[in-house]
Each structure stands twice: as structure tokens, then as C-alpha cells.
Amino acid sequence: MKQLRNTVIRAGLEALCFSGAHILLRPVFAGVGAIFMLHHVRPRRDDAFQPNRHLEVEPDFLRATLAHLRALDIDIISLDEAHHRLIERNFTRRFACFTFDDGYRDNRDFALPVMREFEAPLTVYVTSDFADGSGRLWWIALERVISAASAIEVPIGGSTTRLDTSTAQAKRAAFDRIHDWLRALPSECDVQREVSALCIRHGIDDTTIARELCLSWDELRQFAGDPLVTIGVHTVSHCNLAKQSETIASFELTTSRARIEDALQRPALHLAYPYGDRTAAGQREFALAKTIGFRTAVTTRPGMLFAESADHLTALQRVSLNGNYQEARLLPVLTSGAATAMWNGFRRIDAA
């Protein structure tokens, strides 16, 4: 299913690119600005099996994106400035923001140097358990388990299912099936339990991944001192908020914010919902973020910013810079708003 979706998305991007339709649609759907969503920024890996590749782009693609926006005379601004422009209805110039989810060390090592070249601000949303070194990045642990195994057994649907993982293609199919099963489990505890059990059976230590890949509090203190950097909130445990009780969801937001503000001695006023799609963030979560006092909160729902976005500051859409489509020739399509408009059935705002 994921492979099919990727194929459909690429076909749509290619069609817009070659037809030039994005040029005609830009005036209507480019909006007043965009918030770009990234995760990892690092050099390309050569591994045949990279199921999480969509979560990483190369530094040169980030550089090309920034250069493209500068060529369009688009302001690259902080989220604080974007918030100000939205509430003041100041849309005399189009703008773009760059956001990075989870708090990976490569954001400092590879993304920040590129952003400095363009004097471009960035926001990094930190999962506080990852900064502690105690969190579990289960999607990476799953990748490592499958990468090392020639076959894998999982209790899908209450019965043990054996999946072939002997080739790169088989590994990807197994990853997609297990990933979808895990995302459908009732709670984050269920996800962590199943992934930890897989790790134990296959000799993968999932307790060290956060320390290996994510910025620690000491590193974040120095990182946050850069004038281009804003640190935002990405909950305590990176859980699906919509599956939590309101009490736990509120705890995830308020406690993560408090930990970040205490550790860095600066306000954390911007939020990114983990997963961020319709199954993970909806009206209840949008209202919680507003009540807790976040200036902005971003989803993973695709879309540009429009004047009406000022009425949905805790349900802001983003444009994914996806590792599967990191080609400079597609940037005019990605920044035109045409692709996200087609995905959304030509709705400008998706905040329901």
C-alpha cells in the first residue's frame, strides 16, 4: 500500500512538473506561505533496505530548496515571525518556515550549517524522552530488526505470522505490514511492548538508539543558543495523542514543555504533534494545544498557509520535504501549492 501511494504521489508530481499546470495553479494555491517539514538531514546511505528513507533528505537538497525559495524572493522566517504575520494579517510578502521533528543530532551537524549559509531560521521539535536518552524510536528499531533477519515472526491478529525478510523487497513488504499493524494497536505501550519483544528475539538493543541519534540536553543547550534556532515541543514520549486520554495527552504536552523550558531556560511556544495525521491529531488535540498556550502547533496534514490559517494556529498544515522525492526539478511543484491542493481535493484548509 505504501509503495502504491508513493507511486501515485510521484506520478502526480511528475504530471504537474511536465504539464506546467503548477504554474497556472500557483496564484490560487501557493497561499501566503508554507511550513516545511523535515526529520533527518544527512548524507545519502547506500543500504538497499531503507524503509524510513522518506524521513531523511540530503544536505544538498535542503540547500537547493533554500536557494529556490530565495530565487522566488520568499522570506525565510522563524515561527515566531510567522505567528506574528498571521495574527496581524501581514501578507505583503510570502514566507516559509523550516521545521524539523524529533530532535536528531544531524539537525545540528548537517542542517544547521546549510541554514547558516542562507541565514535561515529553523525550529527543531524535541521529544523530551529522546533528549533524556530513555525514549524508544520504534520505527528505527523495527528497521534494524528486519535488516538483520532473514525471517521474522509477529503476532498479527492474535496468531503468529511468519514473514520472509531474506531480500530487500521482502524486507520492505514485511516492514510495511508490521508498521501498519503497530500503528493500529490500541496504545503506545502496546507498540513499545511488541517492538521490544522483537528486538530481544533478534538481538537488537533498542535502548541505545535515542542516545545514538538524538541531541542530549547538554547538546541542546548549546544548539539552542544559536540565534537561528528555535526549540519546540514534540511531547514526552512521541505517542499518538489521539489514542490517549485527555489527562495523559495534556500531561504529554505540558510536561514536555516544562522539561524543555527548564533545561534550556527559554520558552517553548511551538508544538508539533507526533505522527500528526488525522489518526493522531484532531479537534481535541488542537483545543488542548490552544488551552495550554502554544502559539502554533503543526500537523503532518499536507498544505500551504493561507490567510484563514490565522484561525487555526494549532492545526497548521505543512509541506513535507520527503526523501523519496528529493529532486531539485520538483521544487517548483512542491512550492506552488499545486500538489498539496490536489491531495486535499482543492481545499485550502484541513483542520477538521
Side-chain angles (χ1 to χ4, degrees):
M1 183 60 71
K2 288 186 174 65
Q3 291 285 14
L4 176 61
R5 184 179 64 180
N6 290 340
T7 300
V8 170
I9 291 173
R10 173 165 288 281
L13 291 172
E14 296 285 4
L16 287 168
C17 182
F18 285 114
S19 69
H22 64 286
I23 299 171
L24 298 175
L25 294 172
R26 177 185 291 277
V28 179
F29 292 109
V32 300
I35 302 175
F36 290 99
M37 174 179 66
L38 303 95
H39 291 78
H40 292 282
V41 177
R42 59 190 181 191
R44 181 185 293 269
R45 296 180 292 149
D46 294 328
D47 311 55
F49 173 59
Q50 296 186 52
N52 292 306
R53 183 173 179 267
H54 63 290
L55 297 177
E56 58 186 83
V57 300
E58 297 173 60
D60 280 347
F61 181 67
L62 175 58
R63 184 177 289 108
T65 304
L66 291 160
H68 175 70
L69 294 172
R70 289 285 194 228
L72 293 176
D73 196 30
I74 292 173
D75 294 343
I76 303 173
I77 62 175
S78 68
L79 275 179
D80 282 331
E81 175 63 18
H83 173 260
H84 177 75
R85 292 192 188 190
L86 285 168
I87 62 174
E88 293 295 325
R89 301 300 202 271
N90 176 9
F91 306 132
T92 55
R93 290 180 57 81
R94 290 189 63 226
F95 61 87
C97 301
F98 281 77
T99 62
F100 300 75
D101 290 9
D102 300 338
Y104 296 110
R105 190 172 287 111
D106 56 57
N107 296 171
R108 178 198 65 188
D109 296 344
F110 294 105
L112 181 57
V114 176
M115 302 301 284
R116 282 174 174 160
E117 292 175 24
F118 294 84
E119 298 183 356
L122 66 157
T123 296
V124 175
Y125 297 108
V126 169
T127 302
S128 50
D129 275 357
F130 295 171
D132 287 342
S134 62
R136 298 290 192 273
L137 287 81
W138 64 264
W139 55 96
I140 296 175
L142 178 61
E143 176 180 344
R144 293 183 179 183
V145 166
I146 295 175
S147 181
S150 58
I152 189 169
E153 293 183 348
V154 286
I156 296 176
S159 61
T160 299
T161 300
R162 185 177 178 84
L163 300 173
D164 174 32
T165 56
S166 60
T167 66
Q169 184 176 359
K171 289 178 187 295
R172 183 56 198 254
F175 181 93
D176 289 347
R177 185 171 181 187
I178 297 171
H179 185 279
D180 289 346
W181 166 61
L182 291 169
R183 281 294 309 271
L185 290 176
S187 74
E188 204 71 16
C189 291
D190 296 315
V191 174
Q192 299 297 353
R193 182 190 67 246
E194 296 296 344
V195 173
S196 292
L198 279 172
C199 288
I200 291 170
R201 289 200 297 274
H202 292 273
I204 300 297
D205 187 355
D206 64 334
T207 67
T208 63
I209 295 174
R211 291 193 296 276
E212 173 191 340
L213 297 180
C214 297
L215 291 160
S216 68
W217 290 118
D218 285 342
E219 291 171 315
L220 282 166
R221 288 185 190 96
Q222 184 174 7
F223 184 55
D226 191 289
L228 292 176
V229 174
T230 296
I231 300 297
V233 175
H234 205 37
T235 73
V236 173
S237 65
H238 199 282
C239 65
N240 182 325
L241 289 171
K243 290 186 176 182
Q244 314 304 316
S245 68
E246 185 166 337
T247 299
I248 293 176
S250 180
F251 171 86
E252 284 277 342
L253 298 181
T254 57
T255 302
S256 184
R257 179 178 178 180
R259 285 187 189 176
I260 291 169
E261 292 182 338
D262 182 62
L264 306 184
Q265 291 298 294
R266 61 189 65 221
L269 301 174
H270 304 280
L271 168 71
Y273 305 104
Y275 310 110
D277 56 21
R278 284 178 168 271
T279 69
Q283 287 295 318
R284 188 196 68 170
E285 289 68 47
F286 303 157
L288 271 177
K290 182 177 181 180
T291 299
I292 289 167
F294 287 104
R295 284 182 181 170
T296 69
V298 296
T299 69
T300 62
R301 300 185 188 191
M304 311 296 279
L305 298 179
F306 297 90
E308 308 96 288
S309 299
D311 299 322
H312 306 280
L313 291 172
T314 57
L316 296 176
Q317 297 156 238
R318 290 191 284 179
V319 177
S320 173
L321 292 183
N322 188 304
N324 291 327
Y325 319 110
Q326 53 178 322
E327 298 165 42
R329 65 186 181 82
L330 296 177
L331 285 170
V333 176
L334 292 171
T335 57
S336 70
T340 53
M342 291 181 66
W343 184 266
N344 290 327
F346 297 99
R347 289 174 299 162
R348 289 152 66 99
I349 302 294
D350 180 13

